[in-house]
Amino acid sequence: MYHATLHLLRVTGLVLCLTALIGAVPARAVTLLRDADIEYALKQLGAPVLRAAGLSPNQIRILVIDDSTLNAFIVDTQHIFIHSGLLTKLETAAQVQAVIAHEAAHIANGHISRRLGNMQTARTAAGLGMVLAAAAAASGGGRAAVGLGIGLQSSAMRNFLAHTRAEEASADISSVRYMVRAGVDPQGAIEVQDLFRGQDALAESRQDPYMRSHPLTRDRLRALKGLVAGASARTPPDPTGTYWFERAKGKLTAFTRAPGWTLRRADSSVTADIAQLRKAVAYHRQSDLGRALSNIDAAISSRPNDPFLRELKGQILLESRRASDAVKVYSAAARLAPREPLILGGLGRAYLAAGNPQEALRTLEAARGRDFSDTRILRDLAVAYAKMGQTAMASLVTAERYAVQGRFKDASIHAKRAEGALARGSGPWQRAQDVLSAAQRAGQR
């Protein structure tokens, strides 16, 4: 479905901890769509309702899963997952915020914490530092590697994710309260549930997974409507929320739908810069570099301090084999967002392509320090170490990448290679020991 040029980074596999927590046989792998712009947009949408729930927007990441079905779920207290199918199906910012508020309610009300607390191996998983480490970034040409993952269709996964009717009722009450407190129209919660009306009459194989993990009944829907009706008067849409919703959805569809589809609809965007962003992606996917650059430059001129538009331009240049130009643009993006690991990862990748492994190493280490679970960063970091002649560190980072991927046999091979060459007792040597210990525990499980 996705092209190799996507900076919507394809990361295969879901969560290592679920292998430990559930002990299930892996089914189909799951793909995370990593994009700094989209994740920032979702953070802006989620921040008001997360704060209203008493949660820190800086402690909870909202990530997109590449799946056309309609679903959203949590597996720990630090992440909310939304399927790309649901994100593209929703029509307003309030609807997205309703989904986030509902999942936030499950976190705030302790629904997932109780399950994790009852799992004997939860402490072991947390000890690995990988409670939610995603696995196997796209290799070489961008094709996703096949990694160890827990399929959402497995019965163990469904049982772990499924909420009781009591939990759902509790989350409904809390989520409406959060939305009102945040100044978001709670009618969005009803509109989201309307997407799933009638699903309970379908065979399970035909239901969207949201229905299986969030049971919806007529009584619950009736109660939710009563909550919304009694909450407050209709709240007008927030222009800022609308902008970030349209931008996230516009960029996602520009990368995932046919370029012609995007070009026919781009001019209906709520702002000119979103239209230009969508066109830039579509033309880039058609290998029309001139039009892609013309549109992204126009968007940047209207938002000169926006790091994510510059990041997209850097991606376009890098994937068009203009590495030196990409370095300049990514550098400008990194100056505007110096703490964003995905932008730093892109800059490091551009340095590698431009033949500057020393700067690539420095930049990629900074990116790794902010997102250790991004295996594409780990892959590029290993390349940078190898080009600098630091083969032991290249082996160590490769071992860590395989460990995050769940490929513990391969991780153990590279960790042993690194262990033998690193100074005993040093920080990198200890990291190799951590990988070996993780591999041993995985073998025991």
Side-chain angles (χ1 to χ4, degrees), residues 22-320:
I22 302 174
V25 176
R28 64 178 179 85
V30 177
T31 302
L32 286 176
L33 301 181
R34 298 301 310 278
D35 181 82
D37 194 356
I38 293 175
E39 290 178 15
Y40 180 83
L42 291 174
K43 183 175 182 179
Q44 300 311 299
L45 289 167
V49 292
L50 291 174
R51 281 194 291 266
L55 303 171
S56 170
N58 293 324
Q59 298 298 318
I60 296 179
R61 298 170 69 186
I62 304 171
L63 298 174
V64 180
I65 284 182
D66 173 19
D67 195 309
S68 61
T69 59
L70 312 184
N71 201 14
F73 60 92
I74 57 173
V75 294
D76 71 350
T77 60
Q78 295 179 311
H79 300 80
I80 293 173
F81 291 96
I82 301 178
H83 280 203
S84 59
L86 181 58
L87 187 57
T88 55
K89 183 77 170 179
L90 299 177
E91 297 179 347
T92 67
Q95 292 174 8
V96 176
Q97 290 169 309
V99 171
I100 296 171
H102 189 89
E103 299 307 319
H106 286 306
I107 295 174
N109 293 346
H111 298 159
I112 200 72
S113 296
R114 284 194 292 273
R115 282 175 233 175
L116 289 170
N118 291 333
M119 300 288 183
Q120 291 183 351
T121 54
R123 183 172 299 176
T124 299
L128 296 180
M130 299 175 183
V131 174
L132 208 63
S139 60
R143 291 185 177 85
V146 177
L148 181 65
I150 299 298
L152 292 181
Q153 305 306 318
S154 71
S155 59
M157 172 67 94
R158 290 205 306 273
N159 290 338
F160 181 80
L161 296 179
H163 298 286
T164 66
R165 292 181 180 180
E167 288 176 345
E168 286 303 290
S170 169
D172 286 341
I173 295 170
S174 296
S175 64
V176 169
R177 185 184 303 126
Y178 302 156
M179 293 178 74
V180 172
R181 191 179 299 162
V184 177
D185 187 356
Q187 184 64 30
I190 300 297
E191 294 165 356
V192 170
Q193 296 302 334
D194 280 341
L195 293 175
F196 300 99
R197 293 184 67 179
Q199 289 253 327
D200 52 350
L202 298 176
E204 183 174 330
S205 61
R206 297 179 59 197
Q207 291 177 347
D208 275 297
Y210 191 88
M211 276 297 298
R212 298 195 293 270
S213 60
H214 297 70
L216 178 67
T217 64
R218 290 186 180 89
D219 289 342
R220 180 187 157 210
L221 185 58
R222 189 181 304 113
L224 181 59
K225 288 181 176 179
L227 286 169
V228 171
S232 66
R234 294 296 298 267
T235 306
D238 171 34
T240 300
T242 297
Y243 173 83
W244 286 112
F245 165 70
E246 294 289 344
R247 180 155 158 176
K249 183 174 178 178
K251 188 173 187 182
L252 178 61
T253 55
F255 269 115
T256 58
R257 293 184 180 269
W261 184 95
T262 299
L263 293 172
R264 288 192 299 272
R265 292 164 174 79
D267 286 332
S268 64
S269 302
V270 295
T271 61
D273 64 288
I274 294 178
Q276 291 152 353
L277 180 155
R278 297 172 71 185
K279 290 178 182 179
V281 173
Y283 284 127
H284 173 52
R285 294 180 63 202
Q286 291 181 335
S287 300
D288 189 338
L289 180 60
R291 288 185 178 181
L293 291 177
S294 176
N295 276 279
I296 196 60
D297 283 340
I300 290 172
S301 68
S302 66
R303 294 177 64 91
N305 296 320
D306 189 319
F308 308 111
L309 295 176
R310 293 182 187 272
E311 180 204 25
L312 177 57
K313 182 178 180 180
Q315 175 190 346
I316 291 170
L317 289 167
L318 182 59
E319 293 174 353
S320 300

Side-chain angles (χ1 to χ4, degrees), residues 383-395:
V383 172
Y385 273 122
K387 287 182 178 293
M388 293 296 293
Q390 300 184 44
T391 55
M393 289 300 298
S395 293

Side-chain angles (χ1 to χ4, degrees), residues 372-384:
F372 72 89
S373 66
D374 187 331
T375 53
R376 188 173 185 182
I377 289 175
L378 294 177
R379 182 201 65 189
D380 293 334
L381 186 56
V383 172

